[in-house]
Amino acid sequence: ASGSLKRTVLHQGLLSTPGGAYDDHNAPAFVERSDGRLLAVYAAHGTQNRFYYRISERPRDASAWREEKVFVPSEKSRITYQNLHRLSKENGGKGRIYNFYRGYDNSFKPSYAYSDDDGETWSQGGVFIDVPSEFRHRPYARYASDGVDTVHIFYTEGHPRDFDNSVYHVFYRAGNLHRSDGTVIRPLAEGLKKPEEGTRIFRGDPDNVAWTSDIHADAQGRPWVAYSVQKNSAGLPSKQGGEDHRYRYARWTGREWRDYEIAFAGSRLYPGEDDYTGNIALDPDDPDAVYISSNADPVTGARLPHYQIFAGRTADGGRTWRWTPLTRDSDADNIRPMVPKWDKANTAVLWLRGTYRAYTNYDLAVVGLIRR
């Protein structure tokens, strides 16, 4: 029937951990190949040394897929978090697909593999953000690309449970990693030796611990980002912090980052992951728009019974914001908004509604609306 949805199983059972629970880290990433067919890449949550991939049978049709294949970067790898970006200008103009993931050689760090034949076969790169540390530090990275020659990378030093994170930006182009102003750091194949080699956007401290949420870049290649900061939890043990989060927004002007606190984000989603928020999403087609989930009023911080979705708009580059509720008086939580890329005239906002007890224990429906 017109408008009906069809579900396709890419890999039966991948979502089950050894304990039998679901795991929200295991979602696939997708990218469109040069022939219009879709490439899907997915992996378990750090328990296996491989990622799986499939290619659709027909262009722009996700209802039928070719046989599943497997790529093992190394026997010691423990992989999660797939991020696919196709750069059409690379590989002599034939295009190259990058998969940025975590866990080459069981490093726990941002890593990459690449394909020069539209995802049919893969080659291993390596770790590209190292962290000198006595324990297994893990930077958290977000990615955005222009699909031509550039990938922007927005990242932390580690998990906010382990480190008082700042947030940083670099971009990849023509084989090299660059700071925000275009200064070359070194080749991607060598990677960053430490997170601080990138451009710092926000300096964290024990009472202001940051975590990345989203990044996009405009037609001029200038990135903008959104992230959360846990406030005033210095010295508190796990499960006792996370009662006050804030959302922040920063935009690269071409010369500097302009960074602002923009809204109250409310409290943690659940004890033990004290930095989990309802989250914030950017509109990839409109730098002046954001969407947030919060169980607090964005302006006053007054606590709400459930997490609600709010649309924010700025007219001065992020300094001030006007907020409009998209949900109100809900009897369930509304969390993790996202905005698929569409165009300036059409915007779809999706989020999850229901109960989220942990990343392996949730009862959620995907809902959304189209804003024109």
Side-chain angles (χ1 to χ4, degrees), residues 96-368:
R96 172 175 288 177
I97 296 176
Y98 287 91
N99 180 23
F100 296 98
Y101 66 92
R102 187 176 79 189
Y104 175 66
D105 255 358
N106 200 21
S107 65
F108 229 29
K109 297 179 177 67
S111 311
Y112 74 99
Y114 63 92
S115 173
D116 285 339
D117 54 12
D118 264 347
E120 299 284 354
T121 62
W122 291 85
S123 298
Q124 178 49 37
V127 171
F128 68 91
I129 304 178
D130 202 358
V131 184
S133 175
E134 295 179 359
F135 65 97
R136 296 176 70 222
H137 236 338
R138 44 180 164 166
Y140 276 76
R142 304 281 182 166
Y143 307 87
S145 74
D146 61 2
V148 179
D149 63 1
T150 302
V151 179
H152 293 273
I153 305 165
F154 175 43
Y155 64 95
T156 67
E157 293 98 340
H159 193 296
R161 188 172 53 227
D162 303 325
F163 197 84
D164 298 329
N165 284 331
S166 300
V167 291
Y168 302 84
H169 168 261
V170 296
F171 67 88
Y172 164 77
R173 183 183 297 152
N176 291 313
L177 294 170
H178 305 72
R179 296 186 181 89
S180 301
D181 63 4
T183 303
V184 174
I185 305 172
R186 68 175 54 85
L188 176 66
E190 297 180 25
L192 304 183
K193 304 306 179 186
K194 55 184 180 179
E196 293 83 356
E197 291 185 323
T199 299
R200 184 166 51 211
I201 300 170
F202 173 85
R203 183 190 293 272
D205 61 44
D207 279 318
N208 295 275
V209 183
W211 213 359
T212 54
S213 292
D214 205 358
I215 179 172
H216 289 291
D218 62 20
Q220 289 73 46
R222 296 172 300 196
W224 74 101
V225 302
Y227 60 103
S228 61
V229 172
Q230 184 185 164
K231 305 281 288 187
N232 305 319
S233 293
L236 294 178
S238 177
K239 301 183 181 182
Q240 294 187 23
E243 289 300 318
D244 182 7
H245 291 86
R246 310 292 173 86
Y247 290 128
R248 297 185 69 94
Y249 170 99
R251 187 184 295 188
W252 176 251
T253 67
R255 297 184 302 274
E256 63 180 355
W257 282 96
R258 294 184 180 171
D259 175 50
Y260 306 101
E261 182 180 300
I262 66 171
F264 285 93
S267 63
R268 67 197 179 196
L269 286 186
Y270 66 91
E273 289 288 1
D274 297 345
D275 297 271
Y276 275 26
T277 65
N279 228 332
I280 177 171
L282 302 171
D283 183 335
D285 296 303
D286 186 356
D288 294 329
V290 301
Y291 297 87
I292 68 171
S293 166
S294 179
N295 66 344
D297 182 286
V299 177
T300 68
R303 196 56 55 91
L304 304 172
H306 286 283
Y307 291 85
Q308 307 292 351
I309 303 296
F310 299 87
R313 176 156 290 279
T314 182
D316 54 13
R319 187 180 301 274
T320 61
W321 292 81
R322 176 171 49 86
W323 297 99
T324 303
L326 299 188
T327 64
R328 65 172 80 229
D329 300 326
S330 301
D331 58 2
D333 288 330
N334 301 275
I335 62 173
R336 293 186 169 173
M338 63 171 293
V339 184
K341 186 167 179 58
W342 196 346
D343 58 46
K344 188 75 172 179
N346 300 278
T347 303
V349 185
L350 307 176
W351 65 90
L352 301 175
R353 182 175 63 198
T355 302
Y356 189 92
R357 304 174 191 89
Y359 68 85
T360 56
N361 185 352
Y362 45 87
D363 183 7
L364 298 164
V366 179
V367 298

